Amino acid sequence: MTHILAIDQGTTSSRAILFDADMNVRSSAQEEFPQHFPRSGWVEHDPEDLWATVAATCRAAIEKAGNPTVAAIGITNQRETVVVWDRKTGKAVHNAIVWQDRRTAEFCRELEAAGHGDMITARTGLLVDPYFSATKVKWILDHVEGARARAEAGDLAFGTVDSWLIWRLTGGAVHATDATNAARTMLYDIHKSRWSVTICDLFGIPQSMLPDVRDCSADFGTTRPDLFGRPIPITGVAGDQQAATVGQACFQPGMMKSTYGTGCFALLNTGDTPVASSQRLLTTIAYQLDGKPTYALEGSIFIAGAVVQWLRDGLKIIREARETQPLAESADESQRVILVPAFTGLGAPYWKPECRGAIFGLTRNSGPAELARAALESVGFQTLDLLQAMRADWQGDGRTALRVDGGMAASDWAMQFLSDIIGAQVDRPRITETTALGAAWLAGQRQGIYPDAEGFARSWALDRSFQPQMSDDLRAERQDEWRRAVQATIGVCS
């Protein structure tokens, strides 16, 4: 039987999932890796940890399944995270700077003050923010001794995590990315489908550093024969949120999905039209096939599943993520504890990188249960902000159901609160590994193993649908509490 291997390289762990010819999960492996926080608001990874955990989990998944034939590899990855490496040695010149990192916030403010913001948004669909890759690359070139001279000499390569993995998997034979990852760098013109020379020059980033940009389903080379026993073609690549959009079969304009991993990311398919947002959302590429981009509106929340990690690792009030649901269920409903988890700033639609987290409504009786409930509710509230902004921007006949996936989507309590607070249907698919599934489908359909988009959409299966149960009055009251808490948080941080 022919199989497809999906690499899902995330913010806190790397996973490899082996899918069979019917797109069922055959085996999987996962490894966490250390997070590095050199200063407040700084987040880094050791690029060698990313590579080592990917290689190890791929081997483990293949071995668990009995070493079957693997026809192709699909890659999905944490986006915006930056790696710069030496083309000759393959060694990174600095730790990877993670998408959550805020060290370039002051430079972003300078760019806005100098009047560059509108030009950058018009070309890239993105707002000027430390979240994206461009200012991170500039920081490395400016702060690593000799890096700028080496880059200008053509000795250094830049890539998001997918490019770094492709380089290592192919033994340095291929330096490439796909359109969805390129669209998250703040260097790529999403309308002309090419790197923007103007923006690269503005940041002082040599064009020679940049990877070749390809479709999501394309030839990205083959793996070194020694890695997995034989060379395997890499034929699918997409950033994690775009891969989840594909995995959720959101192929029609108006379809929406929201993924709950470390952060939360909602995408609304807008078809072949890039919609400029008036609500500070991002205009991005949902996927690109046969040279044709399909666009999306995206809202990004920096802290979703990470708030549960904070309960576990920071406050130590839980030992496992699954403990949050029974805690939330036992919370005192008369307490209205509101948590604004701006640990690394507020994302869409506020874009306040200087903000930090805040808790409102604490009483002497507030305890672990109330904090767990507030943590889960904070994800629903933040999703509400995104969907309200999308509804204001999108004039199409959008579908009302929101398709959800990611680790937190497994919590019935959290998904019911999400449905209640947004006042809309929330659909959870039978296969919740939608990010890896999207990467696998991109790779498998190019190899002729999986069906086309229409056939894939027909295979999407519902696990559970959540319907709003909260009264309109209570929903309005809770929404107002959230808005006031956010504004108070912004006021303190301003």
Side-chain angles (χ1 to χ4, degrees), residues 177-180 182-183 188-194 213-218 220 237-238 242 246 285-295 441-442 445:
T177 188
D178 83 295
T180 68
Y188 188 73
D189 190 323
I190 63 171
H191 308 282
K192 296 181 179 179
S193 297
R194 67 190 185 200
V213 182
R214 302 178 185 177
D215 285 350
C216 298
S217 187
F220 292 90
V237 177
Q242 281 85 354
V246 170
I285 295 174
Y287 51 87
Q288 182 170 303
L289 301 173
D290 299 322
K292 181 182 177 182
T294 294
Y295 295 95
W441 178 78
L442 289 168
Q445 65 93 25

Side-chain angles (χ1 to χ4, degrees), residues 250-265:
C250 291
F251 294 127
Q252 298 301 316
M255 296 186 74
M256 295 186 295
K257 74 90 198 175
S258 189
T259 298
Y260 299 97
T262 301
C264 165
F265 303 86

Side-chain angles (χ1 to χ4, degrees), residues 4-9 15-19 25 28 74-77 239-240 243-244 246-247 405 431-443 450 456:
I4 302 295
L5 179 65
I7 295 171
D8 184 356
Q9 202 300 299
R15 297 190 304 161
I17 301 178
L18 197 65
F19 291 87
V25 174
S28 65
I75 298 174
T76 184
N77 57 285
D240 52 10
V246 170
D405 55 80
I431 296 179
T432 56
E433 298 287 359
T434 53
T435 303
L437 178 62
W441 178 78
L442 289 168
Y450 293 158
F456 179 62

Side-chain angles (χ1 to χ4, degrees), residues 176-482:
T177 188
D178 83 295
T180 68
N181 277 294
R184 310 299 298 189
T185 61
M186 210 163 71
L187 296 170
Y188 188 73
D189 190 323
I190 63 171
H191 308 282
K192 296 181 179 179
S193 297
R194 67 190 185 200
W195 298 112
S196 170
V197 175
T198 301
I199 299 176
C200 288
D201 289 347
L202 177 64
F203 292 133
I205 298 173
Q207 293 271 304
S208 61
M209 294 183 71
L210 305 178
D212 180 44
V213 182
R214 302 178 185 177
D215 285 350
C216 298
S217 187
D219 176 13
F220 292 90
T222 57
T223 63
R224 289 168 15 212
D226 60 300
L227 286 176
F228 309 120
R230 56 176 287 271
I232 302 173
I234 305 166
T235 56
V237 177
D240 52 10
Q241 305 313 317
Q242 281 85 354
T245 302
V246 170
Q248 287 278 33
C250 291
F251 294 127
Q252 298 301 316
M255 296 186 74
M256 295 186 295
K257 74 90 198 175
S258 189
T259 298
Y260 299 97
T262 301
C264 165
F265 303 86
L267 268 76
L268 168 68
N269 184 325
T270 64
D272 57 7
T273 304
V275 175
S277 175
S278 63
Q279 304 295 313
R280 295 177 63 77
L281 296 176
L282 308 176
T283 306
T284 194
I285 295 174
Y287 51 87
Q288 182 170 303
L289 301 173
D290 299 322
K292 181 182 177 182
T294 294
Y295 295 95
L297 282 170
E298 177 177 334
S300 307
I301 297 168
F302 299 146
I303 302 294
V307 76
V308 176
Q309 291 178 320
W310 173 68
L311 295 177
R312 182 192 67 187
D313 302 333
L315 298 186
K316 301 187 186 303
I317 62 176
I318 59 171
R319 287 172 296 180
E320 295 180 335
R322 63 184 179 183
E323 296 174 20
T324 54
Q325 178 160 322
L327 268 178
E329 291 172 342
S330 68
D332 179 0
E333 293 191 11
S334 68
Q335 294 191 49
R336 297 286 183 83
V337 178
I338 300 286
L339 168 62
V340 182
F343 303 149
T344 56
L346 280 172
Y350 307 103
W351 296 107
K352 297 289 184 180
E354 70 280 1
C355 274
R356 293 298 177 260
I359 302 175
F360 299 87
L362 291 175
T363 72
R364 285 286 299 272
N365 291 325
S366 300
E370 287 69 37
L371 287 174
R373 180 176 181 137
L376 294 183
E377 287 183 343
S378 73
V379 178
F381 282 127
Q382 291 178 99
T383 307
L384 168 71
D385 289 337
L386 300 183
L387 299 188
Q388 287 180 332
M390 286 179 174
R391 288 164 182 158
D393 277 334
W394 172 248
Q395 303 304 314
D397 55 346
R399 293 156 175 80
T400 56
L402 173 67
R403 292 185 172 182
V404 295
D405 55 80
M408 194 172 284
S411 168
D412 289 352
W413 193 95
M415 294 302 99
Q416 183 57 58
F417 178 77
L418 173 62
S419 177
D420 286 340
I421 204 64
I422 68 174
Q425 179 177 319
V426 171
D427 289 342
R428 183 173 63 200
R430 192 171 299 166
I431 296 179
T432 56
E433 298 287 359
T434 53
T435 303
L437 178 62
W441 178 78
L442 289 168
Q445 65 93 25
R446 180 172 176 84
Q447 298 295 84
I449 296 167
Y450 293 158
D452 61 13
E454 185 177 339
F456 179 62
R458 285 196 298 269
S459 72
W460 187 92
L462 178 70
D463 169 57
R464 180 170 173 181
S465 185
F466 299 86
Q467 303 292 337
Q469 297 175 0
M470 185 180 287
S471 70
D472 291 343
D473 288 345
L474 180 56
R475 180 181 303 112
E477 185 179 328
R478 298 302 315 276
Q479 290 178 355
D480 184 60
E481 290 171 353
W482 170 254

